[in-house]
Amino acid sequence: MSRIQARFAKLKAEGRSGLAPFITACDPDLETSARILNGLPAAGADLIELGMPFTDPMAEGPSIQVSYLRALKAGATMKKTLDLVRGFRARDNETPITLMGYFNPIHHMGCEAFCKAAAEAGVDGLIVVDLPAGEDGELRVPANRCGIDLIRLAAPTTDDRRLPTVVEGASGFLYYVSITGITGAATPDFGEVETQVARIRKGTGLPIVVGFGIKTPEHAKAVARFADAAAVGSALVSEVGAAKSGDEAVARVHGLVSRLAEGMRSAR
Amino acid sequence: MTAIPKPNSYRTGPDAQGHFGKYGGRYVAETLMPLILELERAYLAARADPAFQAELDGYLAHYVGRPSPLYFAERLTAHLGGAKIYFKRDELNHTGAHKINNCMGQILLALRMGKTRIIAETGAGQHGVATATVAARFGLPCIVYMGEVDIERQKPNVFRMKLLGAEVRSVTSGSRTLKDAMNEALRDWVTNVHDTYYIIGTAAGPHPYPMLVRDFQAVIGNEAKQQMMEREGRLPDSVVACIGGGSNAIGLFHPFLDDPSVQIVGVEASGHGLDSGMHAASLTAGSPGVLHGNRTYLLQDDDGQITEAHSISAGLDYPGIGPEHAWLKDTGRVEYVSATDQDALEAFQLCARLEGILPALEPSHALAHVIRAAPKLPADHIMLMNLCGRGDKDVFTIGEALGAKL
């Protein structure tokens, strides 16, 4: 059983929805992001999404765009991103880590080489925003061979005609993009999201993680009622941006993660 | 680069998945996937519908002013003392560049699809002006994304777009040029999928854009071929066009791809020089990658981060290239060369004085190649260059580069 499968089995046994915080590797710098990452499970994270910085993140709102640029300015590279995962894995062998980002840096390294290095570092899943079903074979095949899940995304525009393509060959979990828009923009209508998640569950038995537009403990609580996990990104990287020091960034991110986790635990 | 087998025809791409060889494809967020699949279905239906083509032809003739002339550049030819040089005068189109050929096709498609809001990205502003023009003509609201740097260096076009009723949104992220404008337009589209049509200005982006932009621009090459047969009774020996994203070039080249006697040359912008690190020559000095929905040649660093392009010409200042050009480079069918800022400025001045035409800085790059190549060729070599835009928009940039006070 993979770490992702084991974690969702545990959440199911505990009868609750998980929290999947997103942070950017090397934001605001390598050392601080290592402290943020390593402290996430204790703050209440059930799964972790680690952003791979990219110059041209076309699906991200301003918060994550700025976060990626901060990280790149601080010298972020794919090697450092994988080093962060390796450092985390030495401490925690249970919390799944999914790398999230765009295809070009992976493509540049080579899909095979990247998957081997990621698996060796302790990565469990990949979310590659600009690599949709139908185009992702060149990464999915080597990833699966290395024991890594390539996570598929579904969106409100993923109609019943498209959905079978999205779930075909999917593994790990399904990421439901709760709004038609960029990350951290509009707040979704959670009633509508619940309806959509129910529709998608008819097409797949995979756990469903809901993300995009979830910012507050109240939002997380609303999502916890029907999703297997809630992903929060823009709100957390905004805390990094607002911090005046590394210590403050660590405290702010862990503080918000704790409040989000509390909100979710009160949902069911 | 390992040689790839020569195809029987260079004109059959893309395949059903939108690939030209290994290039092209649909690298977009899932939110956009159902939309671009719908766009592809709508476009293929329109292309097969004679009524759509007839309507487009009517607007091209009576609104855009096609066919554009094929002009023998007599004094330039005499001055260079070699090949016989012809210009395809697409700068005489309504709005002053080839961009409107594509915009007219796409807005008719948008109307056919029932879309009510138009967005576009622009670099030099020519595509923005052309989009604002057709949006005004058909009564649709229009938002144009433009990098802050480009807004500064293309002020006349910014004002033209506003006069045409478009909203110009300044893009302040990244390098604040064309690539960032394209990111922002994609973010708008992903947010407003239900009513918005995105008119991409170049033969790049996710499938079906590279195909449909090429098809709409191929009117340039189809006309030129026919005009050349009428004037000279034969095909040109070489055709030349500048390349930013590559829409004017693919429009000129595509009808000639299967004519083996025609040498085809694309001219990229090498800015301050290929060794300076400040250029926009993604085919000459870049490597394959994935950006803005397609796999193609890109300017990127050792970690796969996109690097900033540079060219004096805002329309060529883009770190990528249309995927069909990437494939044509690998097959060897098209030769890609480059010209610097300085080469383009000199070509601009020569053309102004000898032919009484102010070319845009973009085709001034193509002209720089013509000036280099023509003297070495015999007088019976016919060289056809796409003069794809007029230079009025560039007079401030050129004035600054030449140290003139306007």
Side-chain angles (χ1 to χ4, degrees), chain B residues 172-188:
Chain B
T172 57
S173 57
S175 60
R176 297 169 290 140
T177 58
L178 180 55
K179 86 174 169 74
D180 310 282
M182 200 154 178
N183 287 332
E184 217 47 44
L186 284 162
R187 290 177 186 129
D188 180 311

Side-chain angles (χ1 to χ4, degrees), chain A residues 181-198:
Chain A
I182 52 179
T183 50
T187 299
D189 169 349
F190 292 109
E192 175 58 22
V193 176
E194 182 169 6
T195 307
Q196 292 292 324
V197 168

Side-chain angles (χ1 to χ4, degrees), chain B residues 155-205:
Chain B
K155 281 178 191 156
N157 271 348
V158 174
F159 189 56
R160 287 167 78 197
M161 286 184 266
K162 289 179 181 167
L163 290 172
L164 290 160
E167 180 190 340
V168 179
R169 289 195 187 159
S170 173
V171 176
T172 57
S173 57
S175 60
R176 297 169 290 140
T177 58
L178 180 55
K179 86 174 169 74
D180 310 282
M182 200 154 178
N183 287 332
E184 217 47 44
L186 284 162
R187 290 177 186 129
D188 180 311
W189 198 25
V190 89
T191 307
N192 299 290
V193 286
H194 56 288
D195 65 350
T196 297
Y197 186 98
Y198 178 16
I199 299 186
I200 291 185
T202 194

Side-chain angles (χ1 to χ4, degrees), chain A residues 110-197:
Chain A
C111 291
E112 287 277 353
F114 169 79
C115 290
K116 277 183 193 153
E120 180 271 323
V123 170
D124 303 289
L126 301 173
I127 301 177
V128 186
V129 178
D130 57 351
L131 197 61
E135 204 68 83
D136 66 4
E138 67 179 300
L139 182 60
R140 186 164 47 91
V141 172
N144 292 352
R145 205 183 299 134
C146 294
I148 294 177
D149 293 311
L150 183 59
I151 306 302
R152 290 271 177 75
L153 296 100
T157 49
T158 309
D159 51 20
D160 290 335
R161 182 174 183 168
R162 168 82 183 153
L163 187 59
T165 309
V166 169
V167 300
E168 168 78 37
S171 66
F173 55 88
L174 201 73
Y175 190 112
Y176 182 69
V177 176
S178 64
I179 50 168
T180 54
I182 52 179
T183 50
T187 299
D189 169 349
F190 292 109
E192 175 58 22
V193 176
E194 182 169 6
T195 307
Q196 292 292 324
V197 168

Side-chain angles (χ1 to χ4, degrees), chain B residues 57-246:
Chain B
D57 288 347
Y59 285 112
L60 289 179
H62 304 296
Y63 188 73
V64 174
R66 302 208 71 92
S68 68
L70 181 73
Y71 167 71
F72 169 43
E74 191 175 357
R75 293 195 68 220
L76 184 67
T77 298
H79 176 81
L80 296 175
K84 187 172 187 184
I85 300 160
Y86 278 91
F87 291 159
K88 178 64 175 160
R89 299 285 307 274
D90 253 55
E91 102 281 12
L92 292 176
N93 292 337
H94 181 39
T95 73
H98 71 291
K99 292 293 186 184
I100 197 156
N101 304 330
N102 165 49
C103 290
M104 188 55 80
Q106 288 205 54
I107 200 148
L108 293 179
L109 186 59
L111 291 166
R112 198 180 154 102
M113 293 175 74
K115 301 295 183 184
T116 56
R117 176 177 177 269
I118 298 296
I119 60 170
E121 86 295 335
T122 196
Q126 291 303 101
H127 174 59
V129 167
T131 304
T133 296
V134 296
R137 171 60 185 78
F138 292 96
L140 297 182
C142 175
I143 290 160
V144 179
Y145 290 92
M146 189 167 184
E148 198 179 32
V149 170
D150 292 337
I151 286 179
E152 182 55 35
R153 59 181 168 176
Q154 301 290 341
K155 281 178 191 156
N157 271 348
V158 174
F159 189 56
R160 287 167 78 197
M161 286 184 266
K162 289 179 181 167
L163 290 172
L164 290 160
E167 180 190 340
V168 179
R169 289 195 187 159
S170 173
V171 176
T172 57
S173 57
S175 60
R176 297 169 290 140
T177 58
L178 180 55
K179 86 174 169 74
D180 310 282
M182 200 154 178
N183 287 332
E184 217 47 44
L186 284 162
R187 290 177 186 129
D188 180 311
W189 198 25
V190 89
T191 307
N192 299 290
V193 286
H194 56 288
D195 65 350
T196 297
Y197 186 98
Y198 178 16
I199 299 186
I200 291 185
T202 194
H207 179 64
Y209 281 106
M211 171 177 75
L212 70 85
V213 175
R214 175 201 70 198
D215 290 352
F216 291 136
Q217 291 295 2
V219 67
I220 301 171
N222 286 327
E223 282 177 7
K225 202 170 184 176
Q226 192 188 341
Q227 289 166 323
M228 192 63 86
M229 290 307 288
E230 286 164 9
R231 291 282 286 280
E232 295 279 353
R234 68 178 181 92
L235 294 175
D237 298 290
S238 58
V239 297
V240 182
C242 64
I243 312 251

